[in-house]
Amino acid sequence: MSKKTRMTKQRKAILEVLKDTNIHPTADWIYEQVKEEIPNISLGTIYRNLNVLAEIGEIMILDYGSTYSRFDGVPENHYHFQCSECEGVFDLDVSHKEDLNQLVEEKTEFAVEDHRLEFYGYCPNCQ
Ligand code: ZN
Ligand code: MN
């Protein structure tokens, strides 16, 4: 799919909801928000458009395996912390991205393009 994919009214509303929050919401949460603007939208339409938005690089899907997928309006690779108690997903303002890529390139013969790294434990409220 190309970057030229048409930005429908529905898709635009979903993107705006997602860019406007930092809670890394589920599709259900996004559905509740978008419904206020477009009352007849269906959950299926939300899912379909979230996948399209991820494919064209406007958003990022955070897959936590057993739990529901979470969605992020910031598509650039960044680190997250997931709380094991409240399941909150938080952005981490730590920037060792380049260091880690470089470390692996120095220690191995692989040409690194990027990496994924997940942190988990307990958020300040749940400690
Ligand atoms: Zn927590
Ligand atoms: Mn994030």
Side-chain angles (χ1 to χ4, degrees), residues 16-69:
E16 266 165 26
V17 162
L18 211 41
K19 297 268 183 206
D20 235 41
T21 182
N22 62 0
I23 67 163
H24 306 89
T26 61
D28 284 321
W29 187 92
I30 296 163
Y31 175 51
E32 294 303 325
Q33 305 299 309
V34 175
K35 252 192 342 194
E36 286 173 21
E37 198 184 324
I38 308 172
N40 61 351
I41 198 164
S42 71
L43 184 56
T45 301
I46 298 284
Y47 270 111
R48 198 167 54 248
N49 280 292
L50 284 168
N51 283 321
V52 172
L53 286 167
E55 276 174 37
I56 63 175
E58 292 281 349
I59 68 166
M60 188 160 58
I61 299 176
L62 308 176
D63 186 1
Y64 289 108
S66 59
T67 57
Y68 296 107
S69 286

Side-chain angles (χ1 to χ4, degrees), residues 83 85-88 90 122-123 125-126:
C83 178
E85 184 67 28
C86 67
E87 297 192 340
F90 308 90
Y122 295 94
C123 78
N125 276 335
C126 295

